[in-house]
Amino acid sequence: YIFKDNATKAYASEWLAAMDELELDFQALVNHKQVYHMYVEDWDNTRLIGGSEPATTITDSKATDKSMHYNMIVPNPQALINVLKATPKFNYTGGKNGIAEEKGTFQYANFTIGEMQTLIQKIKDEGGFWVHVHPKQYMKSDDPLDYWFADYTGLEVFYVDPDMDDSKENYKLWTDLLALGKRVWATAGYDQHNLPTGKTINVIYSEKKDAATYVSHLAEGDFVCGNVGIRMAIGDATMGGHTDFAGKR
């Protein structure tokens, strides 16, 4: 969590200091059931990406365990607020009954498959990125399609540590979905409710240092994930080099 309780005291600086030690350029922080972590006074928009990680049950899923977690990663705080307000099941409290928008909270909501697909589209319409996180660790099904809701979304493959059995299980799910013709992007996340570890990372080449630009690349699948020694390039310039970014991927 970005701070240790619901008080206004900010702890973003602790995360930034830990990121410096790991030489991490940016990090997504997705707290549960609220938006106020993105409004703390020492939030650094050049290094921190906001969003939320709700839990849900997919009521009409064929899975034997229909529960799941998902990330809503957004370019700015207002984008998340817009999604929450546009989805009545969240019962978002901000902006009414004297509660400021940035102090708003929301409830976890159960969805049908169709309702989740509608939510995903709302997130995309706000320029955000939706990820089914630690999929095999919650939902239980032998059918890969039970884990898929829409193309051009993320699936958390590398979970906590690339060498964990959980990551290997998620990796097989991802390749199974690709084999079925689905277009989902493999992502990495560590899901630890403390300071970062740097064991599972996503790599983005960004032309600007700000959250909205980072998220725009995530939303297009313009990234790779995992500490697996990939040597990336833009044009003829390999990782660590210099190049004019314009018009290149």
Side-chain angles (χ1 to χ4, degrees), residues 108-190:
Y108 292 162
N110 294 336
F111 295 113
T112 65
I113 295 171
E115 288 171 334
M116 178 58 79
Q117 291 170 333
T118 298
L119 175 62
I120 290 170
Q121 188 58 53
K122 289 175 181 176
I123 295 166
K124 289 184 176 185
D125 290 344
E126 293 290 337
F129 183 47
W130 184 93
V131 185
H132 188 167
V133 293
H134 21 281
K136 295 291 284 188
Q137 287 68 61
Y138 280 86
M139 186 174 283
K140 303 302 178 187
S141 173
D142 293 327
D143 186 351
L145 293 177
D146 288 336
Y147 297 85
W148 173 88
F149 294 90
D151 279 343
Y152 310 112
T153 55
L155 184 79
E156 189 178 74
V157 170
F158 294 106
Y159 175 52
V160 180
D161 189 317
D163 293 325
M164 287 178 57
D165 288 341
D166 289 341
S167 296
K168 296 171 184 177
E169 191 176 25
N170 294 338
Y171 183 84
K172 184 180 185 305
L173 171 62
W174 178 58
T175 56
D176 286 345
L177 284 170
L178 295 181
L180 290 168
K182 301 306 179 183
R183 295 295 175 258
V184 292
W185 297 312
T187 71
Y190 64 89

Side-chain angles (χ1 to χ4, degrees), residues 75 204-219:
I204 298 171
Y205 285 106
S206 178
E207 60 272 40
K208 290 178 62 179
K209 288 185 176 182
D210 67 65
T213 307
Y214 303 144
V215 175
S216 72
H217 289 284
L218 290 172

Side-chain angles (χ1 to χ4, degrees), residues 93-111:
T93 62
K96 55 188 177 183
N97 299 325
I99 299 174
E101 292 279 23
E102 65 270 20
K103 295 294 183 182
T105 61
F106 66 95
Q107 299 175 353
Y108 292 162
N110 294 336
F111 295 113

